[in-house]
């Protein structure tokens, strides 16, 4: 039996493990009935698509249009702080610089938060 | 999905770090109170970008942007877009850092309250992690902190020292709420596989302010105790340990060390419970003294019933008393640290009594249940749920 491999859990993560009913057309992983979103997509792929993944779905065009107009007309305009940070300020936070410790070796297996107790 | 609550943290979740335990507890309380919620955190390392757990949605920021400020800016924009989607239904947004607080506080038409959890001040801490950042640059980060502290509805701090630091930045005292860190009392744990007969344990990350160099120098002074080993349960991956390993070799203690990397949280509890002594050799630097900290390793060691030898810092004194729950020694003094460890090893009866008292202290006032009740009180004060 193929088992559903969708990641579940809040703090301690595991695999779902229920019997799979479909393979996600996006990433190919087996998905159970509980986790299969419309069209058999896994929750990650469905969320990435940001709406009904099927372009033949009647709501697809309007959802896409709305999303596009929203995102293109509203940029995150921050005149509060980030714009005050110029290239000199930012230059101190490049990874791999000799003395940088915290984020110094930025990589996929590192936690990237800045506060640790 | 409509959410009444959201929690944002510029930190990978879940992970093996103390911060992840803290996020789990705080977000869980918020979501339980609000019947679900949206959790926005950092992803990567094989974590899924999106998860749905009942009424909870977990969304992870996955852009791989090397420069920290560029990454924080992209994260803030990402958080702003997520908040926009839910702006009408949100009642409480809990943020864990200024990069999350900025978009939450500047969102248009916001009707929700913002709880700003301050576990540290980047303007102080980043001076340690990024030594090339100029005072002017850190000053700009301080401005951001001030902006967020001024505008938020409540500030939550894990220790009095951090509370004082926040008040020094001009935050109104009545806005600052103390929600101490906690620990769950672990039950009986089996001895971890490969555990030495007698060992001193260090649990945590390996940044310079943790004082592992002091610990290694102290351990070098215990060379006559041939059966004693030092177990380092590092919460960060192995390649971060390079400088510590080099120092251990130079001091001639490398072969008396046992390393464990990024252990899952329940396994760490077992390593603590079977240790002779747990050490928290935090250094006396600005990060630990001015900014303050709330070392989870101290509380978790106490909960495991193991005597703690820790640096005598105000933030540590809030948690444990010298001679009662373990020993407090001056920071950055290897000889003092070694002496305190040696005495505890020489008097196992007294050490066990300290461990038992430490466990009782956690049971009586430092549990997560109690911390979460305090947090719930903060939520009730700023956003009565009968809205």
């Amino acid at each position: 039996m193929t088992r559903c491999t969708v990641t579940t859990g809040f703090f301690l993560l595991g695999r779902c493990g229920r019997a799979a009913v479909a393979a996600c057309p996006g990433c190919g992983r087996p998905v159970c009935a509980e986790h299969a979103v419309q069209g058999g997509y896994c929750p990650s792929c469905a969320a990435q698509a940001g709406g009904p993944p099927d372009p033949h779905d009647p709501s697809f065009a309007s959802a896409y249009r709305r999303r596009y107009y929203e995102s293109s007309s509203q940029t995150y305009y921050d005149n509060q702080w980030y714009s005050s940070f110029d290239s000199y300020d930012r230059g101190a936070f490049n990874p791999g610089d000799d003395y940088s410790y915290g984020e110094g070796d930025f990589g996929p297996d590192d936690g990237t938060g800045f506060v640790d107790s | 999905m409509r959410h009444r609550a959201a929690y944002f943290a510029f930190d990978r979740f879940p992970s093996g770090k103390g911060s992840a335990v803290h996020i789990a507890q705080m977000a869980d309380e918020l979501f339980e109170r609000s019947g679900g919620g949206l959790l926005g955190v950092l992803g990567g390392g094989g974590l899924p970008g999106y998860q749905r757990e009942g009424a909870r949605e977990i969304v992870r920021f996955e852009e791989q942007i090397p420069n920290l400020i560029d990454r924080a800016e992209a994260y803030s924009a990402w958080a702003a877009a997520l908040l926009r989607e839910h702006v009408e239904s949100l009642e409480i947004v809990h943020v864990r850092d200024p990069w999350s607080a900025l978009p939450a506080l500047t969102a248009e038409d916001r009707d929700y309250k913002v709880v700003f959890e301050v576990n540290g001040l980047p303007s102080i801490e980043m001076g340690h992690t990024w030594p090339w950042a100029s005072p002017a640059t850190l000053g700009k980060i301080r401005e951001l902190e001030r902006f967020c502290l001024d505008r938020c509805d409540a500030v939550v701090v894990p220790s009095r020292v951090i509370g004082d630091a926040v008040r020094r930045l001009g935050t109104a005292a009545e806005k600052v709420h103390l929600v101490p860190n906690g620990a769950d009392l672990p039950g009986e744990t089996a001895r971890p596989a490969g555990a030495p007969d007698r060992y001193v344990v260090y649990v945590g990350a390996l940044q310079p302010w943790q004082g592992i160099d002091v610990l290694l120098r102290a351990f070098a002074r215990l060379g006559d105790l041939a059966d004693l080993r030092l177990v380092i349960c590092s919460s960060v991956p192995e390649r971060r340990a390079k400088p510590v390993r080099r120092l251990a070799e130079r001091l001639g203690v490398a072969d008396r060390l046992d390393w464990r990397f990024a252990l899952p949280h329940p396994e760490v509890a077992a390593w603590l419970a079977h240790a002779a002594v747990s050490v928290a050799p935090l250094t006396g630097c600005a990060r630990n003294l001015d900014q303050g900290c709330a070392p989870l390793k101290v509380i978790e060691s106490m909960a495991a019933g193991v005597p703690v030898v820790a640096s005598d810092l105000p933030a540590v004194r809030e948690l444990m008393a010298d001679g009662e729950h373990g020993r407090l020694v001056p920071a950055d003094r290897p000889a003092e640290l070694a002496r305190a460890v040696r005495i505890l090893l020489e008097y196992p009866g007294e050490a066990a009594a300290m461990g038992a008292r430490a466990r009782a202290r956690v049971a009586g006032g430092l549990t997560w249940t109690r911390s979460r009740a305090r947090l719930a009180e903060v939520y009730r004060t700023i956003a009565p749920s009968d809205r």
Side-chain angles (χ1 to χ4, degrees), chain B residues 228-249:
Chain B
L228 185 70
R229 296 188 68 84
L230 172 62
V231 175
I232 300 183
C233 295
S234 158
S235 61
V236 295
E238 185 160 5
R239 60 205 168 77
R240 289 272 185 92
K242 233 188 257 171
V244 181
R245 283 196 154 147
R246 264 203 303 270
L247 178 64
E249 270 161 34

Side-chain angles (χ1 to χ4, degrees), chain B residues 23 44 53 61 90 111 184 220 228 265 282 284 291 350 387:
Chain B
I23 293 171
E53 300 295 327
F61 177 75
L90 282 174
D111 202 15
D184 291 321
L228 185 70
H265 194 240
L282 292 154
Q291 167 197 286
E350 184 52 33
R387 220 176 80 171

Side-chain angles (χ1 to χ4, degrees), chain B residues 132-151:
Chain B
W132 286 7
S134 71
T137 302
L138 294 173
K140 287 182 186 174
I141 294 175
R142 168 138 305 179
E143 281 315 304
L144 172 66
E145 288 163 0
R146 280 218 175 91
F147 175 86
C148 297
L149 288 167
D150 278 352
R151 297 253 187 131

Side-chain angles (χ1 to χ4, degrees), chain B residues 180-366:
Chain B
N181 279 342
D184 291 321
L185 291 177
E188 280 290 305
T189 47
R191 200 175 177 83
D197 288 338
R198 191 157 79 134
Y199 63 94
V200 173
V201 71
Y202 170 83
V203 168
L206 306 175
Q207 301 98 331
W209 62 72
Q210 305 278 11
I212 304 175
D213 53 328
V214 182
L215 172 59
L216 292 181
R217 284 176 214 281
F219 195 64
R221 288 167 176 264
L222 299 171
D224 54 312
L225 304 171
D227 65 326
L228 185 70
R229 296 188 68 84
L230 172 62
V231 175
I232 300 183
C233 295
S234 158
S235 61
V236 295
E238 185 160 5
R239 60 205 168 77
R240 289 272 185 92
K242 233 188 257 171
V244 181
R245 283 196 154 147
R246 264 203 303 270
L247 178 64
E249 270 161 34
R250 229 177 59 215
L251 294 169
V253 294
D255 53 346
R256 294 165 57 214
L257 258 54
D258 289 306
W259 288 89
R260 293 290 182 279
F261 293 98
L263 289 181
H265 194 240
E267 284 182 37
V268 173
W271 279 100
L272 282 172
H274 293 272
V277 177
S278 167
V279 274
L282 292 154
T283 63
C285 62
R287 189 261 177 194
N288 293 337
L289 286 172
D290 300 344
Q291 167 197 286
C293 53
L296 214 48
K297 60 171 118 325
V298 172
I299 311 179
E300 289 186 348
S301 304
M302 290 167 74
V306 54
V308 188
V309 177
S311 296
D312 190 8
L313 305 177
V316 179
R317 253 177 267 148
E318 284 179 37
L319 305 173
M320 58 177 281
D322 184 28
E324 197 174 340
H325 310 114
R327 295 304 313 271
L328 293 177
V329 295
D332 309 297
R333 295 281 187 277
E336 302 269 0
L337 181 62
R339 205 163 72 94
V341 171
R342 188 185 290 276
I343 290 173
L344 286 180
L345 294 173
E346 296 261 328
Y347 296 91
E350 184 52 33
M354 283 180 181
R357 282 196 293 267
R359 192 174 157 95
R361 156 105 172 95
V362 171
L366 282 170

Side-chain angles (χ1 to χ4, degrees), chain A residues 16-82:
Chain A
C16 163
R18 274 187 284 256
V21 296
C24 170
C27 60
R29 71 165 76 187
V31 197
C32 69
E34 193 88 353
H35 283 118
V37 192
Q38 190 184 17
Y41 281 85
C42 71
S44 289
C45 289
Q48 211 165 18
D54 176 14
H56 299 290
D57 189 296
S59 64
F60 180 85
S62 63
Y64 178 82
R65 198 160 48 232
R66 191 174 145 199
R67 230 173 25 249
Y68 176 75
Y69 285 144
E70 273 183 6
S71 63
S72 62
S73 64
Q74 281 185 355
T75 51
Y76 175 63
Y77 182 64
D78 155 59
N79 53 8
Q80 311 281 3
W81 189 70
Y82 283 109

Side-chain angles (χ1 to χ4, degrees), chain A residues 82 89-90 109-110 114 116, chain B residues 12 70 125 137 140 287:
Chain A
Y82 283 109
D89 293 321
R90 286 172 198 247
D109 60 334
D110 284 318
F114 71 91
D116 196 14
Chain B
R12 182 180 291 171
D70 290 347
E125 182 147 332
T137 302
K140 287 182 186 174
R287 189 261 177 194

